[in-house]
Amino acid sequence: MMNEQIWKHRGPLRNTQQALDSGTVRLGFIGGSITDARTRHNWPEPVIAWFKERYPHVRLFIENAAIGATGSELAVFRAEHELIERECDLVFVDYSVNDEDEPSEKRMRTREGLLRKLLVDGRRDVVIVHTFRQSFYREMSEGGTPASVADFEDLAEHYGIGSVGMGMHALEEVRRGRMRWEEWLPDGLHPTERGSLSYARSVIAFLENELSESRHAVKPDEKFSLPTPLNPDNWEKASSLPLSELETEGPWVIRRWPHLEWMDQVLETSAIGAKLKFSFVGRGLSLGFDFGKTSSELRYRLDNGPWEISVRERPDWCGNDGWYRMYTVAEDLIYGTHEFEMEVIHGDRPDCKGTNCRLALVGIL
């Protein structure tokens, strides 16, 4: 029973095996801080080391596109450039933790959009990994499945994607006395080196099964085709609008952005009252910012409607900037041409310590 909770094998990793046979493999990772490469000790590192040990003659390329404090809403806009254009053969997706605070309907739309983008041409395998946060503990201890994980499993089942319950594997190690809790999650969320190794071991066990000789011998299926989406409003058509197409009023500049490696350019101002506007064709709009305590708030409207003001939380862990944060303006518009207008304002709250507006992404649905 425990194995079934941790490892779910739904389909052979054919693209990965073909890549191994060819002598070149490209591994992709996308998720939040638990998968982010910048700590240098997160779970992808032992998985990468395992690949090199098991397949010493294979040239291995790594595309770790995970960013701390981000969810699948941002990932669906980044997948094309960060993973698909880089021809990844196998992509690990980690958003069970970071999407937990989103409504189920929204996270199902963004996640399914991400998966459909990755799977559409049949040229890469996808594995979903479920990490852990303190809020999952009670339900998992009682044999249940947190809602964010259950939602992802529904998608995995629909698309025949394998999944690994890394959090369940680590929790079981604590239960058996193999690892202390503080060795795993000293802050209730981010693993130490020991906790990351536990996560990695669960993934390695999954890969050893999937890439075994018996599975390798399975004959390929017919040409891959995507099944009908579970949610017709998923974000698979997500695209972005170039910053150069925005009409501005006030002291805006487009800068090459050296402060956050995932952003190539930002449209920046710190001037209260600076404005921008643009038109787009679609049914929704999501904006991405380099955000922090010194960021502005936004006064905005769609299609000459009523003005709204953003109120974005700035948690204690949030710095003055450096958080690639999304802001969903709308996602259920009537498909067609829409106009967006925005003005930079101060948040007028104690936690708002500046008026920096640094727009990195204009995401269209």
Side-chain angles (χ1 to χ4, degrees):
M1 179 63 180
M2 184 57 63
N3 284 358
E4 293 177 2
Q5 288 180 289
I6 298 173
W7 297 284
K8 295 186 179 177
H9 300 275
R10 296 185 173 95
L13 301 179
R14 290 191 174 87
N15 291 291
T16 308
Q17 188 61 65
Q18 290 171 8
L20 288 167
D21 293 343
S22 77
T24 299
V25 175
R26 290 175 169 83
L27 299 181
F29 301 86
I30 194 161
S33 58
I34 299 170
T35 299
D36 195 319
R38 289 172 291 184
T39 66
R40 298 182 182 271
H41 72 249
N42 277 342
W43 68 270
E45 302 309 317
V47 171
I48 293 164
W50 174 84
F51 265 99
K52 284 304 300 174
E53 180 180 353
R54 177 153 176 173
Y55 305 102
H57 304 299
V58 169
R59 175 64 62 88
L60 197 60
F61 291 84
I62 307 302
E63 300 292 346
N64 191 330
I67 309 176
T70 67
S72 57
E73 178 176 1
L74 176 58
V76 76
F77 293 105
R78 299 177 58 239
E80 184 72 32
H81 176 63
E82 304 290 352
L83 300 169
I84 297 169
E85 290 179 3
R86 296 169 192 241
E87 300 182 330
C88 290
D89 303 297
L90 171 60
V91 176
F92 295 92
V93 177
D94 154 39
Y95 286 114
S96 292
V97 162
N98 285 36
D99 282 350
E100 188 199 19
D101 296 329
E102 294 285 1
S104 177
E105 173 68 15
K106 182 178 177 182
R107 69 184 176 225
M108 287 296 274
R109 291 182 183 188
T110 57
R111 290 168 172 180
E112 186 166 19
L114 173 62
L115 294 179
R116 290 181 71 84
K117 279 180 176 288
L118 294 173
L119 296 170
V120 66
D121 58 5
R123 296 174 60 182
R124 65 198 54 81
D125 301 318
V126 175
V127 175
I128 295 171
V129 295
H130 305 299
T131 55
F132 181 92
R133 62 188 291 179
Q134 188 68 50
S135 57
F136 289 177
Y137 174 72
R138 178 171 296 180
E139 194 161 11
M140 289 175 63
S141 294
E142 295 172 353
T145 303
S148 182
V149 175
D151 282 351
F152 236 150
E153 283 296 294
D154 287 343
L155 289 169
E157 190 67 33
H158 184 69
Y159 289 98
I161 297 171
S163 60
V164 183
M166 300 196 298
M168 177 61 74
H169 180 268
L171 184 59
E172 186 63 15
E173 286 212 295
V174 173
R175 284 175 175 153
R176 292 173 180 268
R178 297 172 182 168
M179 174 172 64
R180 293 184 177 87
W181 186 280
E182 63 270 23
E183 291 180 299
W184 172 25
L185 299 174
D187 67 354
L189 176 62
H190 299 98
T192 60
E193 286 86 345
R194 176 63 181 89
S196 294
L197 182 60
S198 176
Y199 284 177
R201 284 173 173 167
S202 66
V203 174
I204 290 167
F206 176 88
L207 292 169
E208 286 176 335
N209 184 302
E210 285 292 339
L211 300 175
S212 65
E213 288 299 322
S214 60
R215 285 186 176 267
H216 188 187
V218 175
K219 294 181 179 180
D221 288 340
E222 296 179 359
K223 187 175 180 180
F224 175 83
S225 62
L226 274 179
T228 302
L230 281 178
N231 191 325
D233 294 324
N234 76 80
W235 290 24
E236 66 180 301
K237 302 298 185 184
S239 62
S240 59
L241 191 68
L243 298 175
S244 58
E245 294 187 13
L246 278 57
E247 182 179 338
T248 60
E249 178 182 328
W252 295 89
V253 295
I254 296 178
R255 294 181 181 271
R256 180 178 296 277
W257 204 236
H259 308 296
L260 195 56
E261 54 264 49
W262 302 110
M263 296 176 178
D264 180 32
Q265 295 179 321
V266 303
L267 178 63
E268 181 192 37
T269 188
S270 59
I272 294 173
K275 299 175 182 178
L276 64 78
K277 66 179 179 179
F278 57 87
S279 296
F280 65 94
V281 178
R283 59 180 179 85
L285 176 65
S286 187
L287 305 176
F289 298 86
D290 183 343
F291 182 81
K293 288 187 169 68
T294 62
S295 294
S296 72
E297 288 295 355
L298 318 171
R299 179 175 177 263
Y300 66 92
R301 68 177 178 175
L302 273 168
D303 301 329
N304 293 311
W307 289 96
E308 299 185 43
I309 293 177
S310 66
V311 181
R312 293 177 287 183
E313 180 187 3
R314 296 145 201 260
D316 290 342
W317 55 262
C318 171
N320 287 334
D321 51 28
W323 177 5
Y324 199 157
R325 186 170 186 179
M326 298 299 290
Y327 184 80
T328 305
V329 176
E331 56 177 316
D332 286 308
L333 302 172
I334 297 173
Y335 184 86
T337 301
H338 300 278
E339 184 175 77
F340 176 75
E341 300 171 80
M342 188 188 90
E343 179 181 354
V344 174
I345 62 172
H346 190 279
D348 198 22
R349 305 189 311 274
D351 61 342
C352 300
K353 302 184 183 300
T355 56
N356 296 312
C357 184
R358 292 157 177 167
L359 179 63
L361 173 67
V362 178
I364 310 300
L365 305 180

